[in-house]
Amino acid sequence: MSEELNAYETIIILRPEFAEEKKYTKKINEYVHKIIHGDSESDSDSTTIPAAYVHKIDRIGKKKLAYETRGFTEGVYVLFKYRAPSERIAQLDLVMRRDDDVIKFMTLRLDAEEAEVLAQEAVISEQPEDINAVEKEIDAFDLIFGKI
């Protein structure tokens, strides 16, 4: 099992009703927790996999989809940038495939240059002890850049 933390970015398209702030924040907190700690339901070995670190969450907002997907023509786009062991990516993939709130998603491993940029522009620099810390970061992002 690899202990190395690779840099990744995952874009998730959520159902349009997640444009509502309260639903959005709850869902994002859920995914941040799963990125950091894994999914205890799908993998009993999640405690042996090192924790991940979320560096940036970009709420892109509600957008029209290029084509109808799973019956939806709009979705709420969210981009996560983080460092995680490769084993965590397989867990996340499984969780997102099972989640009816996720219309589509894609995870890419960042190359060394992009990983360095990610480290420099980190919004959440350390693993939050409390998941509410992530919610505060999202609120701060909304205050600075405005709600999208």
Side-chain angles (χ1 to χ4, degrees):
M1 185 180 313
S2 172
E3 298 266 339
E4 181 181 343
L5 298 180
N6 298 310
Y8 296 94
E9 68 179 16
T10 298
I11 189 152
I12 301 174
I13 305 174
L14 298 170
R15 294 183 351 198
E17 57 266 20
F18 284 94
E20 181 188 320
E21 188 65 29
K22 193 172 184 178
K23 281 184 168 184
Y24 168 82
T25 302
K26 183 179 178 187
K27 181 56 86 173
I28 296 310
N29 285 344
E30 177 184 319
Y31 272 105
V32 167
H33 181 78
K34 288 178 182 178
I35 289 170
I36 294 171
H37 302 291
D39 181 30
S40 57
E41 293 175 12
S42 69
D43 187 8
S44 59
D45 271 350
S46 63
T47 56
T48 62
I49 298 173
Y53 299 90
V54 176
H55 291 281
K56 190 170 186 176
I57 303 169
D58 284 334
R59 180 180 182 180
I60 299 167
K62 190 174 182 178
K63 302 272 186 194
K64 184 173 169 63
L65 301 175
Y67 53 89
E68 187 174 316
T69 304
R70 294 182 51 202
F72 296 98
T73 57
E74 292 182 318
V76 177
Y77 288 69
V78 183
L79 178 69
F80 293 95
K81 292 187 178 188
Y82 54 96
R83 289 188 177 278
S86 57
E87 294 88 354
R88 184 76 73 227
I89 304 307
Q91 288 178 342
L92 279 172
D93 185 66
L94 183 62
V95 167
M96 288 188 276
R97 287 185 193 284
R98 291 179 177 170
D99 191 341
D100 292 334
D101 296 332
V102 175
I103 299 172
K104 289 187 85 105
F105 69 93
M106 183 171 52
T107 299
L108 300 171
R109 183 175 174 187
L110 302 177
D111 63 23
E113 184 178 310
E114 291 172 312
E116 184 62 33
V117 170
L118 173 64
Q120 292 174 0
E121 67 181 23
V123 173
I124 304 172
S125 59
E126 295 182 13
Q127 176 182 339
E129 292 297 320
D130 182 6
I131 203 68
N132 291 328
V134 174
E135 186 174 332
K136 289 176 187 173
E137 291 291 341
I138 293 170
D139 291 342
F141 180 82
D142 286 342
L143 285 174
I144 294 167
F145 299 105
K147 293 184 180 181
I148 299 174

